[in-house]
Amino acid sequence: MRERIKRGLESFQRHTYKEFETLYQELETQQHPHTLFIGCSDSRVSPERLLNAAPGDIFVLRNIANSVPSIHADVYDTTTLSGIEYAVLVLNVKTIIVCGHSNCGGCAAALSGKQGLSELHYTQHYLQPLEGLCEEVEACAADEPYKEKAKLMEELNVLEQLKHLKEYDFINERIADGRLELEGWRYDIGSGKVERYDNTDEQFQPIIASEKNRKVQ
Ligand SMILES: [Zn+2]
């Protein structure tokens, strides 16, 4: 085992576990997470750190480019769907966050087309549903620099996954009666800031006001 992994485990047992020891013991036979976090597998996206969450707070699903399969997909990704189903129907989460992020490799790969993915058979297949979004990006931001296109792609991808979630009756019923809310986020890794999609303004906006703005308020 790599020394670094062992050191991490030691630190968890000596410090983190000790800090939450009572909570861990309470959680041994139960969990009541309030949120389902659907994020990218990217190593820089760490949901518990991002939300400063305690053990048991959030149920996490991660895959390349924080995807949710459409109900109309030819092949169901039951790994993701069963996780969503369990979190909503059994754990009764109150919120589902779909969180994209800056410099997402999955979105970038989809945006660059099939180049570079020729040897990644499964990835190529997996990213196919994003092709429509790439066309949308090209149509809306053809003259923009690549960085802007990538950002737009990451945002559209989050909105697309929210749309997919709403295709399922068990989710829609809970949104309709107020038991569940959906959130679309984009996490900027370099700055640590998060923007959420505002349905009224139809754009992503910072969740936490910057220090500068806070002083003005
Ligand atoms: Zn990613």
Side-chain angles (χ1 to χ4, degrees):
M1 190 191 296
R2 286 183 188 262
E3 198 51 36
R4 204 162 164 181
I5 293 175
K6 199 175 158 196
R7 279 206 309 271
L9 185 56
E10 263 170 5
S11 173
F12 165 74
Q13 288 174 346
R14 280 192 197 149
H15 307 294
T16 316
Y17 177 79
K18 288 285 170 209
E19 186 187 340
F20 293 104
E21 190 168 4
T22 312
L23 180 58
Y24 275 119
Q25 286 165 357
E26 283 169 13
L27 289 172
E28 184 157 6
T29 55
Q30 57 179 325
Q31 59 166 330
H32 305 288
H34 51 73
T35 294
L36 163 62
F37 185 100
I38 303 175
C40 184
S41 297
D42 192 296
S43 62
R44 300 163 294 178
V45 177
S46 178
E48 283 88 353
R49 283 203 183 198
L50 186 63
L51 301 180
N52 201 19
D57 276 355
I58 53 172
F59 192 83
V60 176
L61 282 173
R62 293 173 70 181
N63 56 37
I64 290 181
N66 39 272
S67 299
V68 173
S70 167
I71 202 167
H72 307 296
D74 294 339
V75 182
Y76 275 179
D77 166 11
T78 49
T79 307
T80 303
L81 284 177
S82 59
I84 295 170
E85 194 174 53
Y86 186 74
V88 173
L89 296 182
V90 179
L91 298 175
N92 291 308
V93 293
K94 307 280 183 286
T95 307
I96 301 179
I97 299 170
V98 175
C99 184
H101 68 97
S102 58
N103 293 302
C104 179
C107 286
L111 202 54
S112 63
K114 299 212 161 100
Q115 308 149 4
L117 290 177
S118 56
E119 288 178 21
L120 303 179
H121 170 74
Y122 302 116
T123 313
Q124 205 180 101
H125 181 75
Y126 176 83
L127 292 174
Q128 233 162 22
L130 298 188
E131 276 176 15
L133 296 183
C134 299
E135 286 165 19
E136 212 176 319
V137 170
E138 288 305 333
C140 298
D143 300 327
E144 298 289 337
Y146 176 77
K147 205 176 159 192
E148 291 305 314
K149 282 187 189 175
K151 186 172 185 238
L152 180 60
M153 178 71 189
E154 287 149 9
E155 291 177 348
L156 290 177
N157 181 46
V158 167
L159 300 184
E160 184 74 0
Q161 308 318 314
L162 291 177
K163 212 187 287 172
H164 291 172
L165 282 170
K166 289 181 195 159
E167 291 169 352
Y168 296 91
D169 286 344
F170 69 94
I171 290 181
N172 262 332
E173 285 162 12
R174 280 164 178 74
I175 294 173
D177 64 21
R179 278 180 290 167
L180 182 67
E181 59 174 7
L182 304 187
E183 291 269 327
W185 289 11
R186 180 180 172 275
Y187 165 42
D188 187 277
I189 290 169
S191 70
K193 291 183 177 153
V194 177
E195 292 188 333
R196 77 186 276 274
Y197 187 72
D198 186 309
N199 285 309
T200 312
D201 292 346
E202 299 186 334
Q203 57 181 325
F204 282 80
Q205 292 183 339
I207 297 180
I208 311 289
S210 67
E211 283 300 322
K212 205 168 127 199
N213 290 344
R214 242 184 269 164
K215 278 172 197 156
V216 173
Q217 281 167 359

